[in-house]
Amino acid sequence: MSLRTLNFGCRLNAYETEAMRVLATQAGHGAETLIVNTCAVTAEAEAQARQAIRRAARENPEARILVTGCAAQIAPAAWAALPGVARIIGNADKLRPESWDLSAPAAPVSDIMRAEAAAPLPVTEFAGRARALVQVQQGCDHRCTFCVIPQGRGPSRSVPIGLVVEQVRGLVAQGYREVVLTGVDIASYGPDLPGQPRLGQMVRRLLALVPDLPRLRLSSLDPAGMDADLWRLLAEEPRFMPHLHLSLQHGADLILKRMKRRHSRAGALALARRARALRPEVALGADLIAGFPTETEAHFSELLDLVGEAGLSFLHVFPFSARPNTPAARMPQLPVPLRRERAARLREAGAAARRALFASRLGRVEQVLLEQGGRGHTEQFAPVRIAAGPAPAAGSLRPMRVLAADDQGLIAEAA
């Protein structure tokens, strides 16, 4: 019986969870082991992981619980004190085979700020997934005032292009039709590598060297990182998916300045206009924070208006969560109920924009990557479910005609 994993947080965490599953299985771990990969982006994410650990320890007292991830890296002693936790494994060590050898004494969590290279482990299988994740970058050199992640991930490090190509080739050979490039801040790819390639150059070379890969997608992208090669790919390369998820965070310039972001409201709107001019069918998503310290109703209105003005169809909305030892935690805080109320209003605007995108696809034939249970996603990452009849094999790419749409996505049949 296989070991169990619990993953919280980003796509990079999801990738690393699969890598750790491989390493732990090779080390002989079985069903008695639970790996918990924590997230530190919000207090809620940490609370969910703590609750899951306590529940697992209560329901299976014999379980060996191994905890890793950003929250465990930042506060290892607090997580080690939870019931049932046998070991804390730091972020710099969790992809090293020796970290999963329980016959060896537990090593202390190492200083993540001393990490010098990204150390991806090739993963050729993602349990229950039709698309594969590939890590291309690790860590972050920026210091947004609200963000604790650099404390958990360390400095920015890039995976050499050759290693990225090798892993993608292996995934294509395994039958994966879509790959998502992920990292902490993929827009910062390359300065630490010979020749200092940028993200767009890496993506262009990857697509040229793996011609059998049908679909390539990027995870969350800092708008300041859109380089010339990425713009050309968006305009000219059909295998580069027309879907950009942007780390915008806000729509008011004063709040963006207090967040220490590298873009302005005008810059975000210009990016959206340029993307649509080059690829009219592109879908845009964004990470947005509601209720940042000092945010007035006027600031929030600018954020709310950004959804329509930039044409943001897919939102990840977070009510502001003060993180320990960050500058934003020392700023004047808004009441928590107000943060939640503004986040709810922002989600409502996102839901309306998403419904409008779905309605615009009615009658169209979409190329859909099929997943388990007769579901899938279009090139724009709109969710699809099959109207009736037998579901095509998971992992296949099929043309599907959109018959209807609802709040959950598109309803389609084979074209």
Side-chain angles (χ1 to χ4, degrees), residues 18-19 99 120 149 153 206 412:
E18 295 303 323
S99 299
I149 297 306
R153 290 286 182 175
L206 171 62

Side-chain angles (χ1 to χ4, degrees), residues 110-135:
S110 61
D111 183 358
I112 194 67
M113 302 311 294
R114 295 181 179 273
E116 295 180 349
L121 180 79
V123 179
T124 57
E125 182 177 353
F126 292 82
R129 292 175 181 263
R131 67 182 49 80
L133 304 172
V134 172
Q135 177 193 335

Side-chain angles (χ1 to χ4, degrees), residues 230-378:
L230 281 179
W231 284 119
R232 279 196 294 272
L233 287 164
L234 185 65
E236 302 170 3
E237 175 54 76
R239 295 186 295 152
F240 186 73
M241 291 296 93
H243 167 231
L244 298 176
H245 190 85
L246 304 170
S247 178
L248 293 180
Q249 309 304 346
H250 213 276
D253 282 335
L254 181 60
I255 299 300
L256 288 168
K257 183 177 180 179
R258 288 173 177 167
M259 287 179 164
K260 208 173 178 182
R261 298 296 293 164
R262 296 186 294 159
H263 67 276
S264 64
R265 177 189 181 85
L269 292 172
L271 185 155
R273 287 193 298 270
R274 185 176 180 184
R276 288 201 171 84
L278 294 173
R279 193 94 168 256
E281 71 272 26
V282 72
L284 301 178
D287 297 324
L288 299 174
I289 296 174
F292 187 82
T294 76
E295 179 191 80
T296 64
E297 187 62 35
H299 294 145
F300 178 70
S301 292
E302 289 188 78
L303 172 57
L304 203 58
D305 291 344
L306 184 71
V307 176
E309 291 180 42
L312 305 177
S313 302
F314 300 108
L315 302 187
H316 290 169
V317 175
F318 304 89
F320 174 75
S321 178
R323 302 280 67 212
N325 303 314
T326 60
R330 299 189 292 272
M331 297 178 184
Q333 305 290 305
L334 270 62
V336 171
L338 179 59
R339 301 180 214 172
R340 292 175 177 163
E341 184 265 337
R342 288 180 177 174
R345 289 163 61 190
L346 195 54
R347 290 190 185 104
E348 288 175 5
R354 193 168 60 249
R355 287 192 296 268
L357 173 68
F358 296 162
S360 74
R361 312 310 292 182
L362 292 175
R364 294 174 181 256
V365 174
E366 304 277 1
Q367 292 297 319
V368 177
L369 176 65
L370 275 302
E371 299 162 17
Q372 293 183 346
R375 295 176 180 268
H377 283 83
T378 69

